């Protein structure tokens, strides 16, 4: 910017040029990573909780659940756990946006000469890095209980890319949630009343074929189902065999999930950014 | 709406704005049906200090938020550090520092991490940001606590860190929203001393306060607002004269002497005295300060009145409002009085 001041001030000769969007984003992201380190209990939705689900379903409920088409339940389970865990990425972002607003950090940042969008960019970057933690942790935890990737390396990589992309999409959902909902408490409430049911009304823990009519239809079109199924296919794990009468989503889980990712980012990113800016302009 | 200059290199300018760190005309801000600012004009000459004085809910924070680009005025315009806050927010942000009414330092970061981060967001190179953080930590006697989380700081320490954070970018114009509320007297005078130093370096300061003595101690000019309107303004001395100057304050050992004491005080000041029988005090305004006090002391001792306490004090915000508006500061004034008493 080459704006000329009306009245030059004493400190003008000491002004530093802007260091750009990426620099500012990284500074904000580093702060988010420090928060993560200083508040490990806030990570429970990404660490303890999925580990608990793995153990609970692998050892407590697993014996009672049959995988149609055969195969071991533990092999089936991991795709679902991965899917459920990345959905919760949205919760983490929403929570940090709401906390920033609650403790007024936001006012401080907004009075600084930060590149436009860097504040959200920083939060998004932290969340993406933060999403890698449970993905790694779940992989290790799975290995311990006997989960194995039985597919080729490119397929396995494709599985992790799909998973990370879904996490990326959920970040924008979280930005939207965190902008619309004012308080950290409200965010937690929504997470448990909205995100949790969505991850359970899916093939996360049980095959959709076991569900009653309308619930089954909802589960079949739920992207969490298709993400879990896609991961099972890409990791070479047992999955309900695709039958002739299955809906399109179940027949093409990878493509269907990818379309959801594109749609979520395409809609939630612009709407979320606008909602965020609106939530600031009071 | 006022004309703005989107895409133009310079802010709209009028010759009258040169020489002012802050120049605002006709600021209006509404929250629903509530009008928080009803057309406020402000100007702070470059390198001087102006205090906005007002009770709770007067609109102080609202005004500061508009001037620091955090909020947009519904009407009116403001130029800060030479740039229009609406059309050139980023240029304004490069040149200002802002300490909000509630501390905004990051509790999960150490004092040092807070300052380095804010330095980097002020676009300082990393090494420079670190060096400046060190210097500020020393200036604000926080070096011992530099590597502790800000959440472990006492209220006063957090407030100091907050102010240090405001100075990281070496602002040309500084906005302080009730900077000393909640500080103990020592921390308060330390902070005043820091502000003195800044002002000698040429920083322009706009601060808000609920305390007349603070405004008088720090500011060249005072703007008194109430219900979003300016009800008085002027240089500190002139305004103080308009408000009736200092107050001679006498507290007696024996309530029976109240009449005698009142006569002495009235005789010296030539003004109406207020008598509080319960507190055994006699108070009257004076423009003469110390000489008046000495004459009151002589008069009282001649009359043989036993005095518990005798002194000059500032009128409270409530008394100021009584003088200006003929009624006490209302609105949230119960809260204001409670705060003043504490
Ligand atoms: N975001 C908001 N929404 C609705 N009303 C608001 C908002 N912000 C301020 N107000 C109202 O505007 C008026 C002025 O508030 P402001 O915070 O500017 O007062 P203040 O002078 O800073 O008071 P205090 O000494 O208590 O900090 C108050 O009546 C307040 O309730
Ligand atoms: Mg205020």
């Amino acid at each position: 910017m080459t704006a000329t001041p009306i009245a030059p001030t004493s400190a003008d000769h000491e002004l530093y040029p802007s260091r750009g969007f990426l620099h500012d984003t990284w500074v904000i992201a580093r702060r988010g990573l420090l928060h993560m380190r200083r508040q490990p209990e806030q990570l429970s939705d990404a660490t303890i909780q999925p580990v608990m689900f793995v153990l609970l379903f692998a050892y407590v409920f697993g014996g009672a659940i049959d995988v149609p088409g055969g195969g071991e339940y533990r092999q089936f389970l991991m795709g679902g756990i991965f899917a459920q865990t990345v959905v919760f990425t949205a919760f983490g972002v929403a929570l940090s946006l709401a906390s920033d607003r609650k403790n007024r950090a936001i006012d401080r940042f907004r009075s600084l000469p930060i590149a436009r969008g860097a504040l959200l960019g920083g939060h998004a970057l932290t969340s993406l890095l933060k999403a890698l933690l449970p993905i790694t942790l779940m992989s290790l935890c799975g290995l311990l209980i006997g989960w194995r990737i039985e597919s080729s390396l490119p397929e396995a990589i494709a599985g992790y890319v799909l998973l990370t992309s879904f996490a990326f999409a959920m970040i924008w959902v979280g930005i939207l949630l965190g902008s619309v909902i004012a308080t950290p408490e409200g965010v937690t409430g929504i997470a448990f009343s909205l995100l949790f049911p969505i991850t359970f009304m899916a093939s996360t823990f049980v095959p959709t074929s076991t569900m009653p009519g309308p619930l089954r239809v909802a589960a079949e079109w739920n992207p969490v189902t298709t993400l879990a199924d896609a991961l099972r296919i890409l990791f070479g794990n047992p999955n309900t065999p695709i039958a002739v009468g299955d809906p399109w989503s179940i027949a093409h889980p990878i493509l269907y999930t990818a379309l959801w990712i594109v749609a979520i980012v395409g809609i939630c990113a612009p709407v979320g950014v606008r909602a965020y800016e609106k939530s600031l302009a009071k | 709406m006022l004309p703005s200059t989107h895409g133009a290199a310079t802010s709209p300018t009028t010759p009258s704005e040169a020489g002012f760190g802050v120049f605002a005309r006709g600021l209006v801000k509404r929250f629903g049906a509530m009008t928080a600012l009803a057309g406020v004009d402000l100007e702070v000459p470059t390198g001087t200090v102006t205090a906005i004085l007002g009770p709770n809910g007067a609109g102080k924070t609202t005004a500061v938020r508009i001037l620091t680009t955090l909020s947009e005025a519904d009407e009116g315009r403001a130029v800060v550090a030479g740039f229009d806050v609406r059309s050139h927010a980023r240029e304004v942000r490069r040149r200002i520092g802002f300490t909000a009414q509630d501390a905004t330092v990051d509790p999960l970061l150490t004092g040092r991490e807070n300052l380095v981060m804010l330095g980097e967001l002020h676009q300082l190179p990393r090494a420079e940001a670190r060096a400046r953080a060190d210097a500020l930590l020393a200036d604000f006697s926080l070096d011992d606590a530099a590597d502790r989380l800000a959440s472990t700081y006492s209220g006063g320490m957090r407030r100091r860190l907050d102010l240090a954070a405001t100075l990281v970018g070496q602002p040309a114009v500084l906005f302080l929203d009730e900077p000393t509320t909640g500080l103990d007297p020592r921390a308060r005078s330390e902070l005043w001393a820091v502000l003195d130093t800044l002002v000698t370096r040429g920083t322009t300061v706009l601060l808000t306060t609920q305390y007349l003595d603070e405004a008088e101690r720090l500011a060249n000019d005072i703007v008194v607002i109430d219900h979003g309107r300016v009800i008085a303004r002027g240089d500190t001395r002139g305004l103080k004269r308009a408000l009736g100057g200092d107050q001679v304050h006498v507290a007696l050992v024996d309530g029976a002497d109240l009449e005698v004491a009142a006569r002495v005080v009235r005789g010296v000041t030539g003004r109406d005295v207020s008598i509080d029988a319960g507190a055994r005090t006699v108070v009257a305004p004076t423009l003469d300060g110390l000489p008046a006090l000495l004459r009151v002391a002589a008069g009282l001792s001649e009359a043989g009145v036993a005095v518990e306490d005798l002194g000059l004090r500032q009128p409270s915000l409530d008394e100021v409002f009584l003088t200006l508006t003929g009624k006490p500061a209302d609105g949230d004034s119960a809260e204001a009085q409670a705060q003043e008493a504490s």
Side-chain angles (χ1 to χ4, degrees):
Chain A
M1 209 165 185
T2 52
T4 322
I6 299 162
T9 48
S10 59
D12 250 23
H13 61 283
E14 286 156 348
L15 290 179
Y16 289 95
S18 168
R19 301 184 62 200
F21 173 79
L22 290 180
H23 167 267
D24 293 354
T25 299
W26 179 233
V27 174
I28 304 280
R30 276 208 327 260
R31 159 180 177 265
L33 294 176
L34 278 175
H35 281 186
M36 214 166 105
R37 245 180 43 205
R38 308 253 157 96
Q39 277 187 314
E41 69 279 5
Q42 293 255 323
L43 286 175
S44 66
D45 62 294
T47 53
I48 300 170
Q49 183 184 300
V51 170
M52 201 184 70
F53 275 118
V54 169
L55 299 179
L56 209 59
F57 277 88
Y59 294 103
V60 181
F61 304 126
I65 303 170
D66 280 328
V67 182
E72 222 185 305
Y73 179 69
R74 286 178 205 177
Q75 304 286 356
F76 172 86
L77 173 65
M78 286 312 296
I81 295 281
F82 279 126
Q84 187 189 43
T85 309
V86 295
V87 168
F88 274 93
T89 309
F91 172 58
V93 203
L95 195 62
S96 31
L97 290 190
S99 308
D100 268 9
R101 200 162 39 224
K102 188 182 180 186
N103 63 29
R104 307 223 139 241
I106 203 74
D107 280 353
R108 167 74 73 195
F109 287 136
R110 287 184 60 234
S111 68
L112 293 173
I114 306 180
R116 200 182 142 87
L119 203 49
L120 267 192
H123 276 296
L125 183 57
T126 310
S127 310
L128 196 60
L129 295 174
K130 189 176 147 185
L132 298 179
L133 176 80
I135 292 175
T136 313
L137 201 69
M138 285 312 103
S139 301
L140 294 175
C141 181
L143 288 176
L144 282 178
I145 62 156
W147 169 71
R148 295 291 179 269
I149 295 178
E150 314 275 5
S151 60
S152 66
L153 183 65
E155 280 175 309
I157 292 175
Y160 279 107
V161 169
L162 190 69
L163 196 53
T164 314
S165 310
F166 202 88
F168 179 75
M170 290 313 289
I171 288 172
W172 299 103
V173 175
I175 286 173
L176 186 55
L177 282 179
S179 308
V180 177
I181 303 163
T183 61
E185 296 74 20
V187 166
T188 311
I190 287 289
F192 282 88
S193 55
L194 192 73
L195 293 184
F196 241 111
I198 288 177
T199 64
F200 272 91
M201 272 198 286
S203 70
T204 318
F205 300 108
V206 294
T208 51
S209 55
T210 62
M211 298 175 186
L215 188 61
R216 175 172 175 174
V217 175
E220 281 171 346
W221 292 96
N222 183 345
V224 183
T225 294
T226 58
L227 175 61
D229 288 2
L231 293 173
R232 288 168 186 140
I233 292 168
L234 289 169
F235 291 151
N237 295 146
N239 186 33
T240 315
I242 296 161
V244 180
D246 279 342
W248 189 82
S249 55
I250 296 293
H252 305 89
I254 302 176
L255 181 58
Y256 180 76
T257 309
L259 287 176
W260 261 95
I261 293 173
V262 173
I264 292 175
V265 175
I267 294 169
C268 289
V271 176
V273 169
R274 202 151 321 140
Y276 180 70
E277 285 180 349
K278 211 174 143 204
S279 77
L280 301 178
K282 277 184 296 179
Chain B
M1 282 312 293
L2 288 145
S4 64
T5 55
H6 288 293
T10 46
S11 314
T13 172
T14 66
S16 60
E17 287 159 9
F20 290 101
V22 178
F23 190 92
R25 280 289 170 266
L27 295 182
V28 173
K29 180 76 182 178
R30 298 182 199 94
F31 297 103
M34 142 103 218
T35 302
L37 290 182
V40 167
D41 295 347
L42 283 171
E43 58 241 37
V44 186
T46 302
T48 69
V49 182
T50 292
I52 301 181
L53 184 68
N56 286 132
K60 303 184 295 294
T61 299
T62 306
V64 169
R65 287 178 65 87
I66 290 170
L67 297 173
T68 52
T69 77
L70 294 180
S71 159
E72 267 196 40
D74 295 321
E75 288 168 36
R77 59 189 296 268
V79 173
V80 170
F83 289 92
D84 187 289
V85 291
R86 203 190 300 265
S87 58
H88 291 74
R90 192 157 195 284
E91 292 300 322
V92 171
R93 289 173 191 166
R94 293 173 75 186
R95 293 166 174 83
I96 62 169
F98 167 50
T99 302
Q101 188 166 354
D102 315 301
T104 54
V105 292
D106 192 325
L108 290 174
L109 264 51
T110 66
R112 190 190 308 278
E113 284 166 349
N114 262 295
L115 296 183
V116 173
M117 173 184 76
L118 293 171
E120 288 188 277
L121 291 177
H122 262 294
Q123 315 299 322
L124 267 55
R126 188 114 206 246
E128 180 77 30
R130 284 178 176 288
R132 214 171 275 180
D134 285 340
L136 284 166
L137 287 164
D139 279 353
F140 285 83
S141 339
L142 287 168
D143 19 13
D144 290 339
D147 296 309
R148 257 167 49 197
L149 294 191
S151 57
T152 68
Y153 284 17
S154 72
M157 289 164 80
R158 212 169 303 153
R159 201 72 202 151
R160 291 201 315 264
L161 182 61
D162 217 21
L163 191 64
T166 305
L167 301 178
V168 166
Q170 297 198 329
V173 183
L174 196 58
F175 294 89
L176 306 170
D177 196 1
E178 299 195 24
T180 62
T181 303
L183 289 190
D184 65 29
R186 192 173 138 237
R188 202 162 173 230
S189 51
E190 274 176 14
L191 199 141
W192 287 354
V194 172
L195 289 182
D196 287 341
T197 318
L198 288 172
V199 172
T200 55
R201 284 188 209 151
T203 311
T204 308
V205 181
L206 181 66
L207 63 92
T208 76
T209 181
Q210 300 193 24
Y211 308 110
L212 184 59
D213 64 333
E214 176 160 286
E216 192 194 8
R217 162 73 177 70
L218 294 173
N220 308 89
D221 295 302
I222 298 177
V223 176
V224 187
I225 64 172
D226 186 30
H227 289 108
R229 285 179 199 287
V230 175
I231 56 171
R233 68 168 80 228
D235 63 281
T236 306
R237 280 173 73 132
L239 189 68
K240 201 167 160 200
R241 290 188 83 81
L243 297 176
D246 294 316
Q247 291 186 320
V248 177
H249 174 101
V250 187
L252 303 173
V253 175
D254 186 351
D257 293 333
L258 275 172
E259 276 307 315
V260 185
R263 207 164 42 240
V264 171
V265 174
R266 197 179 299 119
V268 171
T269 62
R271 306 278 285 270
D272 282 345
V273 297
S274 44
I275 302 173
D276 182 336
R280 297 191 309 275
T281 57
V282 175
V283 177
T286 174
L287 293 173
D288 290 345
L290 191 61
L293 186 66
L294 291 174
R295 275 182 281 136
V296 169
L300 288 172
S301 98
E302 234 166 69
V305 173
V307 172
E308 190 173 278
D309 187 28
L310 173 65
L312 279 178
R313 32 155 260 198
Q314 296 282 358
S316 70
L317 188 58
D318 226 39
E319 286 157 342
V320 168
F321 273 79
L322 197 60
T323 316
L324 286 173
T325 64
K327 57 185 166 65
D330 60 350
D332 313 339
S333 68
E335 212 179 313
Q337 285 164 8
Q339 277 197 6
E340 230 144 77
S342 64

